[in-house]
């Protein structure tokens, strides 16, 4: 069974996209999983990290991005498997041992304007199509080809993000361990819960990942400790915090730049590859429970 995880935080700059790409590459390279990354963020950062700006630009001109899938839905064409026509196979500059692989559903800057019109999606002859069903209808017969699907969501709970949640089973929340970045976590959890009830889907928080962590900063240590305490007191509104933290480092920032040559996971993420492997193990264990 395919595990589908939406990666989301309402605050930008928390390392959400970097985490998504690093986990995709870790699961594919270290655990030999078939991984699909769906880039729902109009900033297209995950797309560019995985295939480069030049290839993304060509795909965008050819109408092979998510924006065009949503455009077709607005025109009344929302057939099952429509996501398959825009999947980019063999994304990432990391060398992957068989049978691991990473494919990509690329994003587009045009998603910004498309989202403004998604409420106009035709409801179909029986009134069953909803604006947040587009991704699910186009991708439900595609995701079964993979072991894991990671959805990089924009920092909002708009209709585009709801499309990602509709397709998902889990929500992963990366956060810098400070007041501003963690403030909205209960709102995310509450909104996800209400959406799941309204859409009649099974959708649960997978956990919180502390990102851009600074070991010498007492605020970060205190915030992680507080988050764990809140989970113990109120697990309904505060998800568990994974033991592994992802540090803030130059090596991680450099790794975000795609190269034209293939490299191993350790060559790309340097010493931080071990941290992503440890986190992936924790996530895999949680998914298996």
């Amino acid at each position: 069974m395919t595990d589908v995880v939406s990666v989301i935080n309402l605050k930008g700059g928390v390392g959400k996209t970097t985490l998504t790409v690093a986990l995709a590459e870790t699961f594919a390279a270290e655990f030999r999983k078939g991984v699909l990354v769906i880039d729902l963020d109009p900033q297209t950062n995950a797309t560019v990290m995985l295939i480069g700006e030049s290839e993304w630009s060509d795909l965008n001109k050819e109408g092979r991005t998510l924006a065009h899938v949503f455009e077709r839905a607005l025109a009344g064409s929302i057939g099952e498997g429509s996501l398959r026509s825009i999947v980019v196979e063999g994304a990432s500059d990391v060398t992957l041992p068989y049978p691991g692989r990473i494919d990509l559903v690329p994003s587009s800057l045009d998603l910004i304007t498309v989202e403004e019109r998604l409420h106009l999606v035709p409801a179909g002859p029986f009134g069953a199509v909803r604006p947040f069903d587009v991704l699910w209808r186009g991708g439900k017969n595609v995701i079964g080809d993979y072991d894991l699907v990671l959805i990089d969501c924009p920092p909002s709970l708009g209709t585009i993000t709801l499309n990602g949640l509709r397709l998902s089973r889990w929500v992963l929340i990366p956060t810098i361990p400070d007041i501003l970045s963690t403030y909205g976590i209960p709102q995310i959890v509450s909104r996800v819960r209400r959406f799941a009830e309204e859409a009649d889907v099974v959708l649960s928080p997978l956990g919180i990942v502390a990102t851009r962590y600074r070991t010498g900063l007492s605020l970060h240590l205190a915030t992680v400790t507080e988050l764990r305490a809140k989970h113990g007191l109120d697990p309904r509104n505060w998800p568990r915090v994974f033991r592994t933290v992802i540090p803030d480092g130059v090596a991680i920032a450099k790794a975000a730049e795609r190269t034209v040559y293939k490299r191993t996971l350790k060559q790309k993420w340097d010493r931080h590859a071990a941290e992503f492997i440890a986190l992936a193990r924790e996530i895999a264990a949680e998914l298996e429970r």
Side-chain angles (χ1 to χ4, degrees):
M1 182 176 178
T2 305
D3 292 306
V4 185
V5 182
S6 277
V7 186
I8 182 173
N9 191 315
L10 300 184
K11 186 178 185 302
V14 299
K16 171 181 59 65
T17 297
T18 300
L19 179 67
T20 302
V21 171
L23 284 175
E25 292 175 338
T26 301
F27 274 105
E30 186 71 15
F31 300 92
R32 302 191 177 193
K33 300 292 186 181
V35 183
L36 176 66
V37 175
I38 300 178
D39 188 1
L40 277 183
D41 195 332
Q43 295 183 71
T44 72
N45 289 340
T47 297
V48 172
M49 284 177 67
L50 285 168
I51 63 173
E53 189 171 359
S54 178
E55 185 173 351
W56 167 79
S57 179
D58 291 341
L59 292 171
N60 199 47
K61 291 174 184 176
E62 295 166 7
R64 295 177 56 199
T65 72
L66 264 174
H68 299 92
V69 171
F70 285 111
E71 287 283 7
R72 290 197 293 271
L74 283 163
S77 176
I78 190 172
E80 294 182 3
S82 60
L83 223 60
R84 194 180 301 278
S85 64
I86 65 166
V87 170
V88 179
E89 298 181 349
S92 173
D93 56 4
V94 170
T95 301
L96 302 178
Y98 181 82
R101 81 185 205 267
I102 299 174
D103 292 347
L104 169 71
V105 174
S107 183
S108 170
L109 299 171
D110 297 328
L111 279 177
I112 297 173
T113 55
V114 168
E115 183 166 35
E116 297 172 354
R117 296 182 285 119
L118 276 182
H119 66 283
L120 300 174
V121 169
F126 303 105
V129 181
R130 299 164 294 187
F132 55 75
D133 283 331
V134 175
L135 189 64
W136 173 74
R137 288 181 174 273
K140 62 182 179 179
N141 289 342
V142 177
I143 61 174
D145 296 344
Y146 302 89
D147 301 302
L148 176 67
V149 177
L150 294 172
I151 303 177
D152 187 26
C153 297
S156 74
L157 284 170
T159 309
I160 293 291
T161 299
L162 294 183
N163 269 269
L165 295 178
R166 173 69 176 89
L167 191 64
S168 300
R169 172 63 182 87
W170 304 101
V171 173
L172 183 66
I173 306 173
T175 183
I176 300 173
D178 60 26
I179 296 173
L180 291 178
S181 302
T182 59
Y183 179 77
I185 290 176
Q187 285 73 27
I188 295 173
V189 173
S190 175
R191 181 67 184 270
V192 165
R193 185 185 304 124
R194 293 200 305 270
F195 173 75
E197 291 172 353
E198 179 180 330
D200 194 25
V201 296
V202 179
L203 181 62
S204 305
L206 183 61
I208 297 169
V209 179
T211 55
R212 302 187 64 178
Y213 185 87
R214 297 185 182 181
T215 304
L217 193 60
S218 59
L219 170 63
H220 283 193
L221 174 60
T223 302
V224 169
T225 302
E226 182 181 1
L227 287 173
R228 288 179 175 140
K230 286 180 176 178
H231 171 66
L233 294 171
D234 186 12
R236 178 174 170 81
N237 293 307
W238 292 93
R240 61 158 292 182
V241 182
F242 288 102
R243 292 189 305 274
T244 306
V245 299
I246 304 303
D248 189 14
V250 175
I252 289 181
K254 286 183 177 179
E257 299 180 8
R258 189 181 189 278
T259 62
V260 295
Y261 58 87
K262 290 289 185 179
R263 46 186 172 169
T264 66
L265 196 68
K266 189 177 187 309
Q267 286 172 335
K268 178 168 185 175
W269 297 102
D270 197 55
R271 65 185 185 278
H272 302 300
E275 291 152 348
F276 287 120
I277 291 170
L279 177 60
R281 286 196 181 112
E282 283 193 75
I283 290 173
E286 191 68 16
L287 291 172
E288 290 174 3
R289 291 178 59 181

